[in-house]
Amino acid sequence: AGALAVSTRVRAQSSNSVGRFVTVNGNRIWIEERGQGIPILMTAGGQNRVETLRPLAEKLAAKYRVITWDRANMGRSDLVLKGSRDVDIWTDQQAGIMDQLKARPAYLVGASSGSRVAYTMALRYPDYARGVFTYLTTGGGTIGESLAKQYYFDYADLAEKSGMEAVAKTPFWAERISLNPDKKQKRLSM
């Protein structure tokens, strides 16, 4: 797990949370915290941002300390492309967040690809998991192939055909670049 550095504090759109960047393993990760008590660490599904978790996080914050975050390459967090699996990057980042925020063990909660992060986290870092709750869990076979195409191969095909500037202009990447402009130069330099 890497060191944590708080670089920016921003009032999140909900009334009772503060979002901020933390640095784990040299990469900025956007987190939001609410409530107090036993920690729950929630990971959004698909290619969704932390905003999709806010309604549930706000309800849980009445009894728990709830931490939500944008995984690398999602939302405001930095672009990180290394290693063989995104889920390894994400679980290493989650472990770094939990270490530095002193939020372990925690209930690990995730939907869809966030569920893969939750159960992989429990397997790779068993001392960090108080329990695991997953929903809308996906993966394997045909769905895995479909998701890989949507998440990676379509962008690779576009890059080969039209260059990285075209990838940066797609709705998905344009939105993420607007949230974290540092992603643009990293994306274009690939």
Side-chain angles (χ1 to χ4, degrees):
L4 173 93
V6 176
S7 57
T8 306
R9 281 193 184 267
V10 178
R11 175 61 77 191
Q13 290 180 358
S14 79
S15 60
N16 66 352
S17 69
V18 174
R20 66 186 177 279
F21 283 105
V22 297
T23 301
V24 177
N25 297 330
N27 299 291
R28 292 180 331 145
I29 307 299
W30 180 261
I31 68 165
E32 295 180 5
E33 278 189 272
R34 307 163 171 75
Q36 54 188 345
I38 296 172
I40 295 175
L41 203 122
M42 297 175 63
T43 305
Q47 295 178 316
N48 292 306
R49 302 187 331 235
V50 70
E51 287 83 354
T52 63
L53 299 170
R54 285 183 184 153
L56 178 57
E58 288 174 355
K59 288 179 183 179
L60 291 171
K63 293 185 179 183
Y64 300 96
R65 177 183 179 196
V66 181
I67 302 163
T68 57
W69 63 301
D70 278 338
R71 294 169 283 149
N73 311 328
M74 305 296 161
R76 293 169 186 82
S77 293
D78 281 349
L79 178 65
V80 181
L81 301 172
K82 65 178 185 174
S84 61
R85 299 187 323 164
D86 286 347
V87 74
D88 293 334
I89 294 168
W90 297 329
T91 55
D92 290 345
Q93 288 179 337
Q94 189 171 7
I97 291 166
M98 293 171 73
D99 282 341
Q100 297 302 320
L101 297 180
K102 298 184 181 1
R104 56 180 271 216
Y107 289 106
L108 307 174
V109 176
S112 188
S113 60
S115 66
R116 290 191 297 280
V117 174
Y119 66 71
T120 302
M121 180 74 184
L123 292 171
R124 292 185 74 214
Y125 294 90
D127 294 342
Y128 290 61
R130 182 181 296 264
V132 176
F133 177 76
T134 66
Y135 57 105
L136 303 173
T137 306
T138 59
T142 304
I143 190 70
E145 292 171 14
S146 173
L147 291 173
K149 180 181 179 328
Q150 177 186 349
Y151 292 176
Y152 307 107
F153 300 137
D154 288 348
Y155 296 117
D157 291 343
L158 181 60
E160 285 180 359
K161 188 166 96 177
S162 303
M164 291 307 292
E165 185 71 41
V167 173
K169 290 179 181 176
T170 63
F172 174 80
W173 283 108
E175 178 185 54
R176 274 124 189 100
I177 289 167
S178 74
L179 295 168
N180 181 344
D182 292 342
K183 285 182 186 173
K184 184 170 188 176
Q185 192 52 45
K186 279 187 175 180
R187 174 62 60 194
L188 293 177
S189 68
M190 298 174 141

